[in-house]
Amino acid sequence: MRNTRALAAAGAAVAVLGLAAPTATAGGDHNQPSNIVALPSVIARGGQMTVTVDGCPQGGTMTSDAFRTTHLTPVRGANETSKGTATIKQDVRPGSYDITVNCSGRRLTRPAAFTVIGGVRGGLGGSSSSGATPTDIAIGGGLVAAAVAGGGLFWMRRRSERRI
């Protein structure tokens, strides 16, 4: 009976130590990129985006199909964090893009980290044509003719009321 208790206690101790060992070694690895944050997460072509990476104390590089390879620099006062600023290419297609970081020879990819939207045609009010179409001219002319006819009719009625 005593051997069974001793064997059970030894097995429990080995199990506890076995579960604690991977946690102790994982905590000691400080050069593993763990979190990629892209702000803003929705950006127009030609815009600038800031990317922050945790677990990257010496800096590194970041790449994506939407921007050129950009350097990550360590952030002062923030342990094991690096950041970089990327400019989105003008000719990139709208959609979701991944970011891959390389820190101290270790790589991490965040799928669909940000979304590129099409550019805005500012100052045109959403219009893509240059001037009025024949349909626009016909509608405008019809409205002006109706206004003139209505005004003339109103004026004629007011004039006939004064005679009575």
Side-chain angles (χ1 to χ4, degrees), residues 5-42:
R5 287 184 187 168
L7 187 60
V14 168
V16 168
L17 289 175
L19 292 174
T23 306
T25 60
D29 188 9
H30 297 291
N31 293 331
Q32 177 70 34
S34 61
N35 188 24
I36 301 172
V37 178
L39 292 175
S41 60
V42 177

Side-chain angles (χ1 to χ4, degrees), residues 34-41 49-54 62 72 81-84 99 101 108 110 113-114:
S34 61
N35 188 24
I36 301 172
V37 178
L39 292 175
S41 60
M49 172 178 60
T50 301
V51 177
T52 307
V53 181
D54 293 337
M62 62 179 171
L72 295 166
T81 301
S82 293
K83 76 175 187 174
I99 295 177
V101 296
L108 176 67
R110 179 169 177 213
F114 64 99

Side-chain angles (χ1 to χ4, degrees), residues 35-159:
N35 188 24
I36 301 172
V37 178
L39 292 175
S41 60
V42 177
I43 188 165
R45 293 178 281 201
Q48 287 192 331
M49 172 178 60
T50 301
V51 177
T52 307
V53 181
D54 293 337
C56 191
Q58 280 93 29
T61 59
M62 62 179 171
T63 59
S64 176
D65 291 338
F67 56 82
R68 293 187 178 104
T69 300
T70 306
H71 292 285
L72 295 166
T73 56
V75 177
R76 286 190 164 181
N79 293 336
E80 302 175 4
T81 301
S82 293
K83 76 175 187 174
T85 302
T87 301
I88 305 301
K89 297 176 188 174
Q90 290 287 348
D91 60 348
V92 72
R93 290 184 178 186
S96 295
Y97 288 89
D98 303 345
I99 295 177
T100 300
V101 296
N102 188 353
C103 296
S104 302
R106 301 203 180 185
R107 296 172 58 100
L108 176 67
T109 299
R110 179 169 177 213
F114 64 99
T115 303
V116 175
I117 58 174
V120 178
R121 297 183 70 176
L124 295 176
S127 174
S128 60
S129 65
S130 59
T133 64
T135 305
D136 295 335
I137 293 172
I139 292 171
L143 289 172
V144 169
V148 168
L153 199 77
F154 178 76
W155 182 66
M156 294 296 282
R157 285 192 62 174
R158 295 281 291 171
R159 191 171 160 211

